[in-house]
Every structure is written in structure tokens, then in C-alpha cells.
Amino acid sequence: MKVIVSRYNEDISWTEQLSNVIIFNKGEPDIESKHPIIQLENLGREGHTFYNYFYENYDNLDDYTICLQGDPFDHCKNAVELVKQYQDGSGIEQGFAVMADLRYDTTLGNDIMMDDNMNQSKIPIHLVYNYILDVYQIQNIGWTFGVGGQFIVSKENVLNRPRIVYEKISNILKRTKSPIEGYVMERLHLPVLCPQKNRYAENRIK
């Protein structure tokens, strides 16, 4: 099991409690850790870190990968305990589990996002979904997502999608530091990485 941490300027001392961690640092290269540190350009939020990892390591994945932010506790207070639990192989159904204190139901048609000040903005969930999966999905499928976009996923689930899916996601996320698609992918982790949980079959483009 590999633990992937997407860090900007957060204190990552909590990772010292864990094994098999890789720190992907998008902040200043002035940190120290017992774990390997890979420097990345500050683009695409944590979603780019995760999906670029799947793309780059598609043929060399561990049985499970845990994807966390540099400060995972903001959205998952018991993150370290969950990692240790998952390392025992328990609590993972259908090869995917969100790691979040808050979870919300959403759909492809739920394109309204509220910020911390309760301002509304639109995010292109349906468009991104159809583009990255090369589908024409007109049914308004629904699922539950975890706030913060942290999760554990099995190698089998990642390989259920062709490698080009992760390349597409990585490319659309690395355009800017905080692309709107980053908020979309926070909502799309489950339908992308656990397609068997989708309520309706995807309609492939012929």
C-alpha cells in the first residue's frame, strides 16, 4: 500500500507515523522527511498530483493507493488512524473508499458550487465527465462524494480505466494553479475510480 501526499506549505510531520509514503511537494523545496520527496510545479491542486501519479505509475501500482492532502485533518480528522486501519486491509469495499468527515450526494447535473462565503459558481461536471471518460452520458447519474477529495483506491479499480483517462485528467488540471476542473474532480473521484458504483451504465461514444 502506498500513501501519496500532495503538499504545498503544510506541516507534514504527521507522515512520520506512517510507512510507504511519497511526498509530492508543490511548495518551496525546503522540507525534510524520512520519506521520498518529489518536487512538482504548483499546478492543478491535489487532484493533479493524484491522477498524474496514476498516469506515471500505471504499470507499477501497489495493491492500494491512499491519496491525501498535505493537511488531511481539515477534512478528515482521523486520517492517520484510517490509513493504519486500511493497511490492515479492512474497511474497503469494492476497491474504493472516501476519507472525509463530510459527504454529500451529487449528480452530473448538480453544477452549482458554494464557496466559504456562500457565493455560487458553476462547475462543468457533466462536460468534464463526458470528456475524460469518452462517453455521451445524458442520464443524470448520482453518487456520494467526500469533501476534500481524499480517498483510497485499489490497483484493480485504477486499471479498470485505460491509462489515457489519467493523462486527460492530468492535462486539464495542470493548466493553472487552481483550475475549476479541480473542484469538478473532487466530485468525480468515485465515478472515475469506482465505476461499478455508478447507478447507470456509461454510454460509450461509438
Side-chain angles (χ1 to χ4, degrees):
M1 178 178 292
K2 192 75 70 179
V3 181
I4 302 304
V5 176
S6 181
R7 187 255 182 192
Y8 176 58
N9 60 0
E10 300 89 354
D11 177 3
I12 55 167
S13 59
W14 58 271
T15 63
E16 301 298 305
Q17 306 173 62
L18 304 174
S19 58
N20 297 323
V21 176
I22 302 178
I23 310 295
F24 287 89
N25 183 43
K26 293 186 174 182
E28 294 298 322
D30 58 353
I31 60 171
E32 295 182 358
S33 175
K34 71 176 184 180
H35 305 296
I37 300 172
I38 298 176
Q39 190 71 28
L40 294 179
E41 191 173 359
N42 184 25
L43 296 172
R45 300 170 58 85
E46 75 281 347
H48 170 263
T49 305
F50 303 155
Y51 286 100
N52 188 64
Y53 178 83
F54 296 146
Y55 172 70
E56 295 287 349
N57 296 275
Y58 191 80
D59 296 319
N60 189 36
L61 293 167
D62 284 43
D63 289 340
Y64 285 92
T65 303
I66 293 179
C67 295
L68 299 174
Q69 296 184 8
D71 177 9
F73 311 108
D74 190 34
H75 296 295
C76 184
K77 291 181 175 59
N78 63 335
V80 170
E81 290 74 17
L82 273 178
V83 171
K84 292 178 178 179
Q85 173 186 321
Y86 290 147
Q87 285 178 331
D88 294 334
S90 58
I92 308 168
E93 297 181 4
Q94 294 186 295
F96 183 89
V98 298
M99 298 178 65
D101 297 329
L102 295 177
R103 306 177 188 199
Y104 295 104
D105 291 334
T106 191
T107 70
L108 285 182
N110 184 17
D111 59 358
I112 300 297
M113 181 180 70
M114 306 289 289
D115 66 18
D116 293 339
N117 297 316
M118 301 306 291
N119 297 314
Q120 291 187 359
S121 58
K122 296 194 71 172
I123 54 177
I125 294 179
H126 210 148
L127 290 176
V128 173
Y129 181 94
N130 283 352
Y131 169 70
I132 62 177
L133 298 182
D134 197 24
V135 300
Y136 183 62
Q137 180 60 266
I138 58 175
Q139 292 172 305
N140 192 18
I141 64 174
W143 64 92
T144 300
F145 78 94
V147 175
Q150 302 179 115
F151 57 87
I152 179 171
V153 63
S154 69
K155 174 181 178 179
E156 180 180 2
N157 278 31
V158 175
L159 298 183
N160 275 339
R161 299 291 189 188
R163 192 178 182 209
I164 191 173
V165 167
Y166 306 114
E167 182 179 26
K168 281 183 172 182
I169 296 172
S170 178
N171 285 339
I172 64 174
L173 291 178
K174 70 181 181 181
R175 294 182 297 105
T176 67
K177 289 183 179 180
S178 185
I180 193 67
E181 291 88 354
Y183 297 97
V184 173
M185 289 313 305
E186 180 181 355
R187 289 153 174 77
L188 287 183
H189 292 321
L190 187 144
V192 170
L193 296 170
C194 194
Q196 61 267 42
K197 286 191 176 181
N198 283 6
R199 296 177 185 173
Y200 304 102
E202 294 165 358
N203 300 308
R204 290 274 152 205
I205 294 176
K206 302 298 184 183

